[in-house]
Amino acid sequence: MKLSLVKKNNHPSVPITPRRMGFSFDGIEHDDYWFDNDPVLTHLLNILSLTFPDGERFFVDSVRALRDQVDDKERQKDISGFIGQEAMHSLEHQAFNDLIADGKYDDIVNQALAVTNKLLAGARKHMSKRQQLAATAGLEHFTAILADAILRRPDMVKKMDPAVRDLWVWHAIEETEHKAVAYDLYKDVSGNYLERQRLFLSSTAYLIGFSSYFTWQMLKRDNVHKKPLTLAKGLWKGFGYRGVISSIIPAWFTYLKPGFHPWDDDNSALIEEWRNTLPKPKGKNAA
């Protein structure tokens, strides 16, 4: 199947198909350092995973609330695909998160989930539907550029334990497939540049603060905070030259451009390339 079927707007037409994978994570324990045997990056990605089930339900609700603003059948099909994919992400990451919580990190996990739920409840209460959609579009950009960093870096994927590697590659593929859905819907509903930027900056600031705090709590639980060399190595892998996080900073700034669109960076060729490395879905496709 050819993915880059070009639309009138010169952006690729990428099928958005939900897939239930049923990952088992056999061979890994809750306290294994599954990313490059590094506690800093393992716990950072673990904390991000904890936010996915509740966060992606928020994304789904924000898109579903305003999808009636779109009449185009193909766009509606893409929105249904987005909703289905995010639902599958919640299920798969919940299974992974249950593994993380099974042991010495239980209280930290529960605290992180409580903070996540409180932040999302506050957003639902105090933000309009349009503002919730703007925040979703901004956070979808963050997940899309992290996904792109994974798919463009085979060396990064090889550093993941095989027991969890397919989860993160699959998630990165689907975040790439639907990376423009929330953004396009927001442009249809409003397109207010200042509101889009304000909520992008505030949402990512909350995410950075949240992730940093709870990653530190995990590291303290492992007594890694008393090992400066281990910390330094992990921080370099994350924020140094070609680091996991530092490598996405230029792409993060592209969202600030007035004429930005997620598919300005056409990385659709990576989708099929990486999908061929995954096992076949265990469940039926569900839109």
Side-chain angles (χ1 to χ4, degrees), residues 132-160:
Q132 291 177 45
L133 181 60
T136 293
L139 289 170
E140 278 289 297
H141 176 65
F142 181 87
T143 56
I145 61 178
L146 182 58
D148 182 71
I150 291 172
L151 299 181
R152 287 190 190 275
R153 296 273 301 277
D155 62 307
M156 189 182 298
V157 176
K158 288 179 181 178
K159 293 176 181 177
M160 298 180 185

Side-chain angles (χ1 to χ4, degrees), residues 138-139 141-143 145-146 196-197 200-205 207-208 245-257 260:
L139 289 170
H141 176 65
F142 181 87
T143 56
I145 61 178
L146 182 58
R196 175 167 72 86
Q197 300 310 333
F200 172 62
L201 293 171
S202 60
S203 297
T204 53
L207 182 61
I208 291 169
I245 303 302
S246 57
S247 64
I248 70 174
I249 292 175
W252 184 90
F253 278 103
T254 62
Y255 196 82
L256 302 178
K257 297 193 304 184
F260 166 83

Side-chain angles (χ1 to χ4, degrees), residues 15-30:
I16 303 173
T17 304
R19 300 167 181 87
R20 179 69 190 272
M21 302 299 291
F23 298 115
S24 62
F25 313 117
D26 292 336
I28 193 168
E29 300 295 333
H30 67 276

